[in-house]
């Protein structure tokens, strides 16, 4: 038992517990959907999507950069915290100036515009929180990060839910979240400053250097979030608000399952950065460990979820959101290959190769936007889901090709095969839903999983035939 405990990495457990608090967000959004209905919820979802895109302009890649710098050199890296927060504040001012014309272009009216401003304020607070969490993650304090996130989300969504039941006014609800997040930021900044030196000399040059260093991360971040939010924004533009509500409901369910690989990536990102900086010869083994964790902890959950699409939508949102089932049946299989697209992103950013991400993500975003514009007018939310699936495949395969050309040829090739087999296994429940013989589908899934097991043998995965 002592040997088992020594081998057990508590960082993953703390990261999981922190992400598990996203369940509070999930429950809160379900309550909102049930009380507001598909149309009003669709307006709110579109505002959240817009703020999500703009939040990456605010963050400007600074949380990821700070996590990497702190992991590589905790004392020196942490000193950039206040500088990074100030850069985010300046970015926020610019974004706020651009928000109104964006709301007009996207068709927001009346209270919808005010909702956009309030949601963006909560995103400013969330961006600062992510930066502070990067410091905790970089120095390995995953337990402290978990406690902080749990307190913030419990208070924010607890108070907001009370306000929702009391007023049934979405504006007061969002304002409540903003107030709680602001107070949480003050407390967390004070706590971190007591344990680490987070201050350095502030000059225009230091702000410029921080902005310049984060620039590749920022471009990637904006393209990344645009890639994931463009579906909802295109639905807001080309479809009825109810279609936006249906797709958002399906996507909220997907976000819960997406939290599982994030647990792994939170830890492996800092490990990749540490090994690449100090022990590059051990990096392939860390890639193997991360891939194994993704396949063992996430892929089975995705497959099971594929069989439960009706239960998930009707049980959580009610019969009025029944059409969301069709979008969810497409989005869940996309997670099977999304794991490896995210793995490629984490590898490139943590090893100082973030310059490869902007052209990759830009290509994917263009394909995603084109697919959405073509499909949404005809099949609404289902078209947005198909566009997402297509984009995930392109993003993962091209990202893994890049890895194979950066000195990890064999590992990159193995990951390409595994990612396609993972997609196939995750797609079987949806294929059965549209008419594939269950026995044939079961056989197809077993063959896929068996092939993955063979490719994931340690010697096979790490072998480099030269």
């Amino acid at each position: 038992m002592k040997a088992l405990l020594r081998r057990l990495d508590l960082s993953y457990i703390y990261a999981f517990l922190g992400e598990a608090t996203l369940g509070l967000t999930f429950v809160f959004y379900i309550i909102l959907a049930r009380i507001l209905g598909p149309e009003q919820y669709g307006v709110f979802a579109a505002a959240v999507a817009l703020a999500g895109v703009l939040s990456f302009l605010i963050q400007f890649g600074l949380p990821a950069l700070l996590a990497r710098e702190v992991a590589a050199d905790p004392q020196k890296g942490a000193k950039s915290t206040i500088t990074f927060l100030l850069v985010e504040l300046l970015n926020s001012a610019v974004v706020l100036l651009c928000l109104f014309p964006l709301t007009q272009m996207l068709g927001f009216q009346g209270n919808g515009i005010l909702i956009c401003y309030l949601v963006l304020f909560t995103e400013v607070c969330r961006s600062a929180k992510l930066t502070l969490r990067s410091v905790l993650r970089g120095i390995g304090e995953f337990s402290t990060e978990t406690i902080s996130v749990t307190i913030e989300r419990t208070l924010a969504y607890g108070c907001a839910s009370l306000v929702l039941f009391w007023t049934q006014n979405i504006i007061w609800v969002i304002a409540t979240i903003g107030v709680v997040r602001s107070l949480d930021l003050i407390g967390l900044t004070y706590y971190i400053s007591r344990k680490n030196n987070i201050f350095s000399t502030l000059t225009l040059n230091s702000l410029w250097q921080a902005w310049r260093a984060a620039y590749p991360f920022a471009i990637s971040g904006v393209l990344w979030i645009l890639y994931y939010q463009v579906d909802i924004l295109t639905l807001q533009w080309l479809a009825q608000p109810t279609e936006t509500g249906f797709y958002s409901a399906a996507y909220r369910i997907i976000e819960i399952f997406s939290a599982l690989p994030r647990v792994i990536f939170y830890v492996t990102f800092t490990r990749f950065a540490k090994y690449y900086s100090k022990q590059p010869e051990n990096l392939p083994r860390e890639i193997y460990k991360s891939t194994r964790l993704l396949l063992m902890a996430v892929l089975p959950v995705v497959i099971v979820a594929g069989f439960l699409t009706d239960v998930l939508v009707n049980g959580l949102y009610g019969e009025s959101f029944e059409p969301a089932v069709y979008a969810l049946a497409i989005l869940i299989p996309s997670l099977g290959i999304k794991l490896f697209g995210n793995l490629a992103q984490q590898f490139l950013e943590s090893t100082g190769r973030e310059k490869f991400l902007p052209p990759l993500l830009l290509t994917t975003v263009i394909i995603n936007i084109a697919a959405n514009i073509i499909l949404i007018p005809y099949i609404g939310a289902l078209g947005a889901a198909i566009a997402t699936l297509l984009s995930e495949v392109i993003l993962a395969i091209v990202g893994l090709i890049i890895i194979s050309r950066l000195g990890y040829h064999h590992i990159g090739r193995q990951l390409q095969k595994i990612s396609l087999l993972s997609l196939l296994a995750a797609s079987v429940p949806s294929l059965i839903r549209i008419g594939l013989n269950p026995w044939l589908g079961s056989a197809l899934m077993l063959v896929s999983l068996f092939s993955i097991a063979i490719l994931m043998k340690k010697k096979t995965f790490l072998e480099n035939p030269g």
Side-chain angles (χ1 to χ4, degrees):
M1 180 60 71
K2 289 182 179 179
L4 178 62
L5 290 175
R6 282 196 299 268
R7 293 184 61 186
L8 185 63
D9 194 334
L10 295 179
S11 298
Y12 290 103
I13 295 177
Y14 287 128
F16 171 77
L17 293 175
E19 284 301 287
T21 60
L22 282 174
L24 298 174
T25 308
F26 184 59
V27 171
F28 177 69
Y29 274 73
I30 290 174
I31 294 172
L32 275 178
R34 284 181 171 271
I35 292 179
L36 299 178
E39 185 171 349
Q40 290 189 63
Y41 181 72
V43 174
F44 169 74
V48 171
L50 176 60
V53 173
L54 296 177
S55 70
F56 272 77
L57 291 172
I58 295 168
Q59 295 169 28
F60 209 74
L62 293 166
L65 174 60
L66 186 59
R68 189 180 76 184
E69 297 303 307
V70 174
D73 190 339
Q75 291 185 349
K76 181 180 178 181
K79 291 181 180 179
S80 301
T81 304
I82 296 300
T83 301
F84 282 20
L85 288 173
L86 183 56
V87 173
E88 289 182 0
L89 184 61
L90 295 173
N91 292 340
S92 301
V94 175
V95 169
L96 283 170
L97 292 175
C98 300
L99 181 58
F100 183 74
L102 286 173
T103 61
Q104 298 301 295
M105 184 179 68
L106 292 171
F108 288 95
Q109 297 177 354
N111 286 340
I113 298 174
L114 179 57
I115 289 172
C116 286
Y117 273 95
L118 290 173
V119 170
L120 183 61
F121 175 72
T122 66
E123 284 297 320
V124 172
C125 296
R126 189 179 71 87
S127 298
K129 175 83 172 193
L130 287 174
T131 303
L132 295 174
R133 288 174 61 186
S134 294
V135 179
L136 297 174
R137 205 175 299 146
I139 61 179
E141 288 199 20
F142 288 93
S143 58
T144 304
E145 182 193 9
T146 297
I147 294 171
S148 172
V149 170
T150 302
I151 292 173
E152 179 226 326
R153 288 176 177 163
T154 301
L155 290 177
Y157 294 124
C159 294
S161 296
L162 291 176
V163 172
L164 176 65
F165 287 122
W166 182 30
T167 67
Q168 295 190 8
N169 187 316
I170 188 61
I171 293 176
W172 285 108
V173 170
I174 303 171
T176 301
I177 295 174
V179 170
V180 174
R181 285 184 174 177
S182 300
L183 295 175
D184 172 74
L185 280 177
I186 296 172
L188 184 58
T189 303
Y190 176 76
Y191 171 83
I192 295 177
S193 66
R194 293 293 300 271
K195 301 195 67 175
N196 303 89
N197 183 5
I198 61 175
F199 296 92
S200 60
T201 304
L202 287 174
T203 64
L204 289 177
N205 184 60
S206 65
L207 295 175
W208 166 249
Q209 291 301 325
W211 191 90
R212 184 178 179 182
Y215 181 75
F217 289 89
I219 297 299
S220 299
V222 171
L223 291 172
W224 194 269
I225 196 64
L226 180 61
Y227 165 60
Y228 285 116
Q229 300 288 5
V230 72
D231 303 336
I232 293 179
L233 294 177
T234 309
L235 282 165
Q236 168 73 12
W237 177 33
L238 297 176
Q240 296 297 320
T242 52
E243 289 292 322
T244 308
F246 294 144
Y247 184 81
S248 179
Y251 199 82
R252 289 299 169 188
I253 296 175
I254 287 296
E255 284 188 330
I256 291 298
F257 294 106
S258 297
L260 292 174
R262 279 203 303 271
V263 168
I264 298 170
F265 292 136
Y266 281 154
V267 180
T268 57
F269 181 87
T270 56
R271 300 283 170 82
F272 285 173
K274 179 180 178 180
Y275 281 122
Y276 183 73
S277 175
K278 300 177 180 179
Q279 299 175 346
E281 68 278 3
N282 290 328
L283 186 55
R285 291 187 178 87
E286 195 63 32
I287 297 173
Y288 171 77
K289 287 173 58 178
S290 299
T291 305
R292 184 178 60 184
L293 280 170
L294 288 172
L295 292 171
M296 294 178 63
V298 182
L299 183 58
V301 176
V302 172
I303 293 173
V304 172
F307 289 107
L308 301 175
T309 52
D310 292 276
V311 175
L312 289 169
V313 172
N314 293 326
L316 294 172
Y317 288 96
E319 294 183 0
S320 62
F321 281 83
E322 173 68 27
V325 171
Y326 303 104
L328 184 61
I330 299 295
L331 290 174
I332 285 181
S334 72
L335 290 177
I337 198 165
K338 176 182 177 180
L339 303 176
F340 299 92
N342 288 349
L343 178 64
Q345 179 210 10
Q346 298 292 318
F347 174 84
L348 294 172
E349 288 187 342
S350 63
T351 58
R353 290 150 167 146
E354 59 271 9
K355 66 180 181 180
F356 289 98
L357 281 172
L360 168 60
L361 291 172
L362 179 59
T363 301
T364 310
V365 166
I366 292 172
I367 293 173
N368 194 13
I369 292 174
N372 273 296
I373 291 175
I374 293 171
L375 296 173
I376 284 176
Y378 296 99
I379 49 179
L382 181 60
I386 294 173
T388 296
L389 175 60
L390 174 64
S391 303
E392 296 286 10
V393 174
I394 295 171
L395 180 63
I397 297 302
V398 177
L400 296 174
I401 289 174
I402 293 173
I403 290 178
S404 68
R405 294 181 177 178
L406 291 174
Y408 302 89
H409 179 73
H410 181 71
I411 290 177
R413 292 291 298 274
Q414 293 293 96
L415 287 172
Q416 290 173 49
K417 298 173 187 176
I418 292 169
S419 66
L420 292 174
L421 289 168
S422 176
L423 173 62
L424 180 59
S427 299
V428 167
S430 295
L431 294 174
I432 292 175
R433 180 185 178 86
I434 62 175
L436 180 67
N437 183 281
W439 290 106
L440 179 59
S442 299
L444 192 62
M445 183 185 298
L446 290 174
V447 170
S448 301
L449 295 176
F450 181 73
S451 300
I452 289 174
I454 293 176
L455 293 170
M456 278 303 298
K457 288 184 177 180
K458 193 170 185 178
K459 290 184 178 180
T460 302
F461 188 90
L462 295 175
E463 178 187 7
N464 190 348

